[in-house]
Structures are given as C-alpha cells and as structure tokens.
C-alpha cells in the first residue's frame, strides 16, 4: 500500500518523465530539421563543385526541394515551443490575465483542430503516394512518400506540442512554453 | 449570397482568427477551410494535402532557408564592429557625420541579409552606443536606424521578395535585381534627408572629429573587403546569370561561414545558434506559405479574386488610382499585421486584379515591398520599432515619432517608382537570358 507521500512522488515522477519525453521529442525533430537544412546547402554546393570538376549530383534539385519541405515541417513543433511562429498578439496583450487565459485556450484548441485535420490529409497524401508508387522526376526517381512521411511526422509532433501547451494552460497556472520566446520578440527579429 | 457578401464574410472570419491570436499559418488554413466547406462542394481534404505538398517541396523555395541561414551566421559574426570602424572614418566630414553609418551600414548589411529587423539590430548594436557616446541626438539616430533597417527587405537577397516570387510564380533572380535600383534610391533619399536635417540643426550635431590620414582610413576599411566580396559573389552571380538564386544562396552560406571563421567569431555555439535560428525562421515562413497556397486554391474555388478583377475592369479604374488605393489599404493593414502576411494575402486574393489592371507583376513586387517596409515602421505593430525599442529602451511611440520622417521618405520612394517604373523594371531587362 502506497502512502500519500509516496503516491505524490510517483505522480511527480510520471509528470517529469512525461515532460522529459516530450521535450526530447521536440529536440529530436528540431535536430533532424536542422540537418535537412544543412543538407540543402550541401547538395547545392556539391552540384556547383560538380559543375567545375565535371560530375553531376543526381537529382540535386529534387533532393534540395524535398529537404526544404522536410526541414520546415519537422521544425514545426520546436519552432512553436521557441515562440517563433508569428501571430497577432496586439489584442491578446491588452486582455486581463483571466480572459487572456481563455483566449489562449481558444487559440490552442482551434490550432489543434486545424493541425489534426491537416495532419490527417497529409497522411492521406503519403498513403496514396505509397500505394500508387509515385516517384520524383529526375535521375534518382525518389519515391514521393519519403519526404511526405517527413511532413506527416512533423505535423503530428506539432499537434502533440499544441496539445501539450493546451494541457498546460488548462490544468496548471504556468504559461505555455512559447510565451517566453514571444515576449522576447523571437518571431519579430526574424523578418 | 453574392460574391461580394461571401468576400466580406471571409474577410471577417480571417480577421477574427488572426486578431484572436491564432498563428498566421493556421489562420490562413482556417479561412481556406471555411470558404471551401461553406461555399463549394470541392473535396477539401484532398486539396489541402496536395496544396501543402505542391507549395513547399519546390526548388524555387530552396534559396529561402539558405539566405536566412546566411543572415543568421553574419548576424553573429564581427561584421557589426567591422562595419562601423570601416565606414566611420569616411563619413566624418559630411553634414550629419556618423549618422550616415546607420544608412550605409544597413545598406551593405541588407545586401547579405534578407531580413529587415536583423539588419537594424546588427547595425544598431554597434552604432547606437557609439553615436550616443559622441552626443548625436537620439531622435535622428533612432529614426535613421529604423528607417534604414527596412532596406533589408528591398536590397537583395530579400526574404520577402522570395515569398512574393514563390506565391506569384515569378523568377526570384529577376525580382532580386529589380530591388537593386529602388534600394539605392532609398539610400540616397535617407542620406539626403539626414544631410538636410543636419544643416538645419547644426547646434545639435557634435563637431567632426580629427580626420584620419587616408592610409589609416583604407586600413580600417580593409575589414569590409570580405563582405563586399560576398555581396559581389551573391548578387553579381545572379545578375550575370552564372548562378541561380539557390546556388548563390549556398555560396553565400559557405562564404559567410568562411568569413566568420576567419575573423574568429565562428564558435561551435554560434554555429548551433545560427542554424537553430535559421531552422525556426524558415519553418515559420514555409508554414505560412503552405497555409497561403491552400488559401489561394480555396479562393480560386470561391471565385472572389476573379470577381475582384472583373470589378476593377468594370470600374475602369486607372492603374494609378488602383495603386493609390492599394497603398492606403496596405498601410492601414500594415499597422496590424506583419509584412509576410500582407504579401501572401495579396498573392492569394489581389494578384488577378492587379494583372487585370495591366500592372507588371515584377514592378508590383517592388511596390509591395516598399509598402511592407512602411508597415515595418508603423505602430502599433512594426517589427523594426520593436527592435529599436529593445536596443534603446525608449517606448514604442517615441521610436515611432522619431521614425516618421523616414516613413514619409518611403512614400516619396513609392511615388517615384510609380512615376518612373523603369527604376524597378529596367535592370532586370538587362539581365542575361537565364
């Protein structure tokens, strides 16, 4: 039989390990996204060098294009956590704390629904590409489902992150993860 | 419901979603979904999937993350210091003195960075404390910096021109080159204004410092040579047609890494930070583009853009009247939403109308960027103002008043490219075939 204290510890342990798991997930998708960004540069540079030395990088154009998509979608969740997705906070900032919280719930709820719907149809796209064996033009004939899978995974993790923040706003007194970055002006600095 | 009613309703929904604080990309998706669900019987989900895939997996988008990354690397390099020490000795004697380092510094940095706020922040980090120390009036220091920061949008490489080019399906290379002359024009206007201001306010300007001998000046400016090399490598190769914008961007990334490695500012943590920043920013923009491309398709189904185009045709509005109306509309819009959203919304809804009015889309891109520059410096939502607020600690309305003359100079620039459209279109016409 567990004492109250031990039960509390167990719950806290579950909570922190869940937290670690989620943060780990965001970090992994962020690192993958960054690697795909590097890949764009590497492929394009290899192609340029190849032109001088007379070799060609097969399907460089396609690989670079697919990497843009994969990188961007895998980065969705970490970018959210970082507060770098832009939104209009003009009205939000003026609201008193209590109302602010409920508007935040609306934002996260609506965003979650939209994101889940989006995820569902990108998965559909991926499934169809796989079923019909769609491939890219160009030398390598890359199956389209590969980059599409990356997009679907990125969107799924994004949905998880939105849910994560929704739970935080609904059930705790803490601010959602992206607020810190938003207030520091991360998003604004980038345009 | 008539098309006009539908249009107004959709606009209301859009402002509701955006205004309540839903992320821009998702708001665009939301409006698109609402439009298709309510007014058409098109297979909405399928459209969503294919538009997402079609819009983001394209070669023409590849320069976007690369140019963002290049800017992030240089932002963390010693460039800020080098720019100031390299420019200051030459500007000492002309009226307005070192204030011109803001304009020229931003102009040069804009040619290696595609972002307006980053341009203002990079130059301001060094020039604000230096100018303050010498007793230059805060007002003009802040104003010139916020104003010149917007050069980042116009002078290639420009993130916002890539966004426009991808949305409007124009050649990014030509768009970049179209921004060059108007960018130089703006630099001229800004510097001219500063000189006039300095002549009229002599008592507020500190006396010029001891001039350095010419050799010393050259030695100090020597640090700028690598940057100039990078600019020529990137913009020059696009203009000469030897490289596509994507290739130029990749070379730019390599050059920026090399440059910051040589000056000793490329630590592992700076590299990781830069890459992280680039990943986040390009993700944010690509996601907005994905949302916007779905909205474009959805709008096509509702027939609103076509209807708007016909309306303009029926009204017999002259292009000048249309441009005037659009300028006012965008400036008001720019007080509340950011530049990227303005550009993607314009591409989704207004482009058929603009084309119908016989306006060149390349020229329109430059016009749009100038108007977005104004949006960057109008309160309450003006990103350059936020940057200056962060750098100086002054409140946003003081920053905005200081910046107002530069807003008017942007209006002058718009009027000039309307009167002389060749400013934007002549240079791209001279480009070699590619």
């Amino acid at each position: 039989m567990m004492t109250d204290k031990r039960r509390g510890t167990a719950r806290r342990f579950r909570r922190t390990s869940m937290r670690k798991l989620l943060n780990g997930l965001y970090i992994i998708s962020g690192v993958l996204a960054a690697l795909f960004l590097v890949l764009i540069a590497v492929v394009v540079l290899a192609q340029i060098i190849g032109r001088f030395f007379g070799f060609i990088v097969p399907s460089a154009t396609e690989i670079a294009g697919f990497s843009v998509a994969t990188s961007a979608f895998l980065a969705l969740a970490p970018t959210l956590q970082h507060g770098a997705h832009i939104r209009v906070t003009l009205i939000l900032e003026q609201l008193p704390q209590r109302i602010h919280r409920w508007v935040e719930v609306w934002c996260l709820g609506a965003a979650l629904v939209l994101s889940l719907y989006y995820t569902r149809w990108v998965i559909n796209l991926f499934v169809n590409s796989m079923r019909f064996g769609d491939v890219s033009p160009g030398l390598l004939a890359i199956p389209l489902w590969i980059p599409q899978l990356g997009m679907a995974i990125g969107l799924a993790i994004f949905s998880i992150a939105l849910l994560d923040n929704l739970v935080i706003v609904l059930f705790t007194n803490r601010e959602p993860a992206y607020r810190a970055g938003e207030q520091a002006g991360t998003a604004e600095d980038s345009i | 419901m008539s098309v006009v009613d539908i249009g107004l309703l959709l606009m209301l929904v859009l402002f509701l979603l955006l205004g309540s604080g839903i992320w821009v990309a998702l708001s665009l998706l939301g409006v698109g979904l609402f439009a298709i669900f309510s007014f058409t019987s098109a297979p909405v989900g399928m459209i969503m999937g294919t538009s997402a895939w079609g819009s983001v997996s394209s070669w023409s988008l590849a320069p976007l993350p690369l140019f963002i990354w290049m800017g992030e690397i240089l932002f963390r390099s010693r460039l800020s210091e080098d720019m100031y020490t390299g420019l200051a000795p030459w500007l000492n004697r002309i009226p307005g003195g070192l204030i011109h380092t803001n304009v020229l510094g931003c102009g040069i940095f804009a040619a290696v960075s595609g972002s307006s706020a980053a341009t203002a922040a990079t130059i301001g980090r060094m020039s604000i404390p230096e100018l303050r120390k010498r007793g230059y009036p805060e007002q003009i220091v802040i104003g010139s910096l916020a104003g010149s920061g917007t050069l980042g949008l116009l002078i290639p490489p420009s993130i916002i021109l890539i966004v426009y080019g991808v949305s409007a399906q124009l050649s990014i290379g030509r768009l970049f080159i179209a921004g060059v002359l108007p960018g130089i024009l703006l630099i001229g206007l800004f510097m001219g204004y500063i000189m006039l201001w300095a002549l009229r306010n002599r008592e507020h300007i500190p006396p010029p410092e001891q001039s350095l001998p010419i050799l010393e000046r050259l030695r100090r400016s020597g640090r700028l040579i690598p940057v100039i090399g990078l600019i020529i490598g990137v913009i020059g190769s696009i203009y000469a047609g030897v490289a596509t914008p994507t290739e130029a961007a990749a070379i730019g990334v390599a050059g920026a890494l090399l440059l910051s490695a040589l000056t000793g500012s490329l630590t592992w943590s700076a590299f990781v930070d830069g890459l992280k920043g680039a990943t986040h920013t390009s993700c944010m923009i690509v996601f907005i583009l994905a949302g916007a491309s779905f909205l474009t398709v959805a709008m096509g189904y509702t027939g609103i853009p076509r209807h708007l185009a016909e309306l303009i045709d029926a009204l017999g509005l002259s292009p000048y009247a249309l441009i005037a109306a659009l300028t006012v509309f965008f400036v008001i819009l720019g007080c509340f939403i950011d530049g990227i959203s303005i550009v993607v919304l314009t591409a989704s809804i207004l482009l058929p109308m603009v084309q119908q009015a016989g306006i060149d889309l390349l020229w329109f891109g430059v016009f749009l960027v100038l108007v977005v520059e104004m949006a960057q410096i109008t309160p309450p939502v003006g990103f350059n103002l936020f940057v200056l607020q962060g750098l100086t600690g002054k409140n946003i309305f003081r920053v905005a008043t200081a910046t107002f003359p530069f807003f008017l100079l942007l209006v002058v620039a718009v009027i000039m490219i309307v009167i002389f459209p060749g400013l934007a279109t002549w240079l791209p016409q001279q480009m070699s075939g590619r």
Side-chain angles (χ1 to χ4, degrees):
Chain A
M1 214 170 86
M2 267 198 222
T3 63
D4 268 359
K5 195 180 162 202
R6 279 189 52 197
R7 206 174 292 146
T9 320
R11 200 181 298 143
R12 212 169 305 131
F13 174 73
R14 271 203 303 277
R15 202 189 296 149
T16 51
S17 58
M18 185 68 185
R19 186 70 268 148
K20 275 187 190 151
L21 187 74
L22 286 173
N23 286 349
L25 184 65
Y26 306 147
I27 290 173
I28 291 171
S29 68
V31 169
L32 284 175
L35 290 177
F36 274 104
L37 203 159
V38 174
L39 182 66
I40 306 171
V42 170
V43 167
V44 178
L45 283 172
Q47 194 190 26
I48 298 170
I49 295 168
R51 205 187 292 159
F52 280 107
F53 292 96
F55 64 89
I56 47 166
V57 182
S59 292
T61 312
E62 283 75 24
I63 295 173
F66 293 166
S67 300
V68 176
T70 313
S71 168
F73 277 72
L74 282 176
L76 283 173
T79 304
L80 175 76
Q81 294 300 93
H82 200 71
H85 281 300
I86 49 173
R87 58 177 184 154
V88 179
T89 51
L90 188 68
I91 302 168
L92 211 59
E93 301 291 353
Q94 310 303 320
L95 299 173
Q97 192 55 43
R98 271 194 42 214
I99 304 172
H100 186 146
R101 185 170 162 184
W102 287 108
V103 177
E104 202 76 79
V105 168
W106 145 256
C107 290
L108 282 163
L112 181 60
V113 171
L114 287 167
S115 168
L116 283 173
Y117 191 77
Y118 205 15
T119 314
R120 185 227 174 284
W121 284 100
V122 172
I123 290 176
N124 182 70
L125 184 78
F126 150 76
V127 171
N128 279 338
S129 296
M130 220 166 158
R131 189 188 307 153
F132 301 120
D134 292 342
V135 292
S136 71
L139 230 52
L140 282 188
I142 306 162
L144 292 188
W145 65 262
I146 298 176
Q148 287 168 352
L149 178 64
M151 284 172 73
I153 292 173
L155 270 172
I157 301 176
F158 182 57
S159 303
I160 293 172
L162 287 168
L163 181 64
D164 178 7
N165 283 295
L166 184 60
V167 169
I168 288 176
V169 177
L170 274 178
F171 300 114
T172 74
N173 285 321
R174 283 179 293 143
E175 297 238 294
Y178 49 80
R179 287 291 290 161
E182 258 175 11
Q183 275 154 349
T186 327
E188 283 89 58
D189 284 356
S190 44
I191 309 171
Chain B
M1 255 183 154
S2 76
V3 181
V4 177
D5 293 335
I6 296 177
L8 289 175
L9 180 65
L10 291 180
M11 206 151 101
L12 190 75
V13 173
L14 175 67
F15 285 142
L16 196 76
L17 294 180
L18 276 177
S20 68
I22 294 176
W23 291 270
V24 171
L26 292 169
S27 298
L28 301 179
L29 275 181
V31 182
L33 271 178
F34 179 80
I36 295 190
F37 264 136
S38 319
F39 305 113
T40 74
S41 50
V44 62
M46 298 287 257
I47 299 173
M48 211 168 187
T50 41
S51 79
W53 172 245
S55 62
V56 298
S57 61
S58 108
W59 167 249
S60 57
L61 254 187
L64 184 92
L66 295 181
F67 276 128
I68 294 174
W69 191 17
M70 176 181 171
E72 289 278 344
I73 297 165
L74 292 173
F75 175 66
R76 288 174 175 76
S77 71
R78 276 181 44 89
L79 201 60
S80 172
E81 287 91 328
D82 291 348
M83 197 82 88
Y84 183 83
T85 40
L87 288 174
W90 303 96
L91 300 165
N92 206 3
R93 291 263 156 202
I94 58 175
L98 299 182
I99 299 171
H100 294 286
T101 54
N102 275 346
V103 183
L104 280 180
C106 284
I108 296 174
F109 192 74
V112 287
S113 159
S115 129
S116 156
T119 303
T122 312
I123 299 304
R125 205 167 38 174
M126 188 69 190
S127 77
I128 287 183
E130 291 288 338
L131 293 176
R132 248 189 200 160
K133 201 164 69 193
R134 289 175 173 74
Y136 282 95
E138 197 101 67
Q139 183 92 359
I140 189 91
V141 173
I142 293 177
S144 61
L145 194 55
S148 324
T150 63
L151 290 169
L153 298 181
L154 191 57
I155 296 182
S158 154
I159 302 301
I160 208 123
L161 275 177
I162 300 179
V163 170
Y164 174 76
V166 170
S167 318
Q169 298 179 336
L170 295 171
S171 145
I172 310 282
R174 279 175 195 280
L175 269 173
F176 273 6
I177 300 307
V180 172
L181 285 182
I184 294 172
L185 167 75
L186 264 186
I187 294 179
L189 284 173
F190 288 168
M191 290 183 74
Y193 170 77
I194 292 171
M195 284 186 212
L196 280 179
W197 187 91
L199 291 173
R200 289 188 50 194
N201 296 276
R202 268 177 224 276
E203 65 282 5
H204 298 301
I205 299 280
E209 290 158 36
Q210 190 69 44
S211 279
L212 294 164
I214 188 109
L215 277 177
E216 175 62 18
R217 287 193 220 175
L218 285 174
R219 201 184 63 77
R220 292 203 184 180
S221 306
R223 297 219 187 111
L224 289 181
I225 292 171
V227 191
I228 307 287
L230 205 54
I231 294 174
I232 295 172
V234 172
I235 304 179
S237 63
I238 297 177
Y239 183 73
V242 294
T244 63
T246 309
E247 290 164 346
I251 294 169
V253 167
L257 283 171
L258 190 71
L259 195 143
S260 59
L262 290 178
T263 54
S265 45
L266 189 68
T267 58
W268 174 246
S269 78
F271 176 78
V272 170
D273 282 353
L275 185 55
K276 222 162 131 183
T279 311
H280 290 157
T281 304
S282 51
C283 162
M284 180 264 284
I285 296 177
V286 172
F287 197 36
I288 291 179
L289 276 169
S293 85
F294 174 66
L295 181 64
T296 307
V297 180
M299 283 296 153
Y301 276 104
T302 63
I304 292 171
R306 200 176 54 242
H307 190 79
L308 271 176
E310 284 161 8
L311 198 72
I312 291 297
D313 209 29
L315 282 177
L317 211 58
S318 80
Y320 293 112
L322 181 65
I323 288 294
L326 282 177
T327 309
V328 174
F329 176 67
F330 286 139
V331 168
I332 296 171
L333 205 60
C335 289
F336 304 100
I337 64 176
D338 62 283
I340 293 182
S341 308
I342 294 181
V343 171
V344 295
L345 283 173
T346 304
S348 299
I349 301 162
L350 299 181
L351 275 192
M353 174 177 98
V354 170
Q355 242 169 336
Q356 182 70 47
I359 297 169
D360 178 33
L361 289 186
L362 203 65
W363 180 90
F364 189 74
V366 173
F367 161 76
L368 196 57
V369 169
L370 279 171
V371 185
V372 166
E373 289 189 5
M374 294 183 197
Q376 296 281 101
I377 54 173
T378 44
V381 179
F383 291 145
N384 282 24
L385 301 179
F386 294 148
V387 172
L388 265 289
Q389 190 183 15
L391 282 172
T392 61
K394 303 279 177 229
N395 86 47
I396 188 137
F397 287 98
R398 280 199 58 187
V399 176
T401 2
T403 312
F404 189 67
F406 292 86
F407 176 84
L408 293 181
L409 291 173
L410 281 169
V411 178
V412 173
V414 168
I415 294 172
M416 287 187 72
I417 68 157
V418 169
I419 300 175
F420 308 108
L423 280 170
T425 52
W426 181 76
L427 210 49
Q429 283 161 7
Q430 312 305 312
M431 276 170 82
S432 23
R434 285 172 58 147

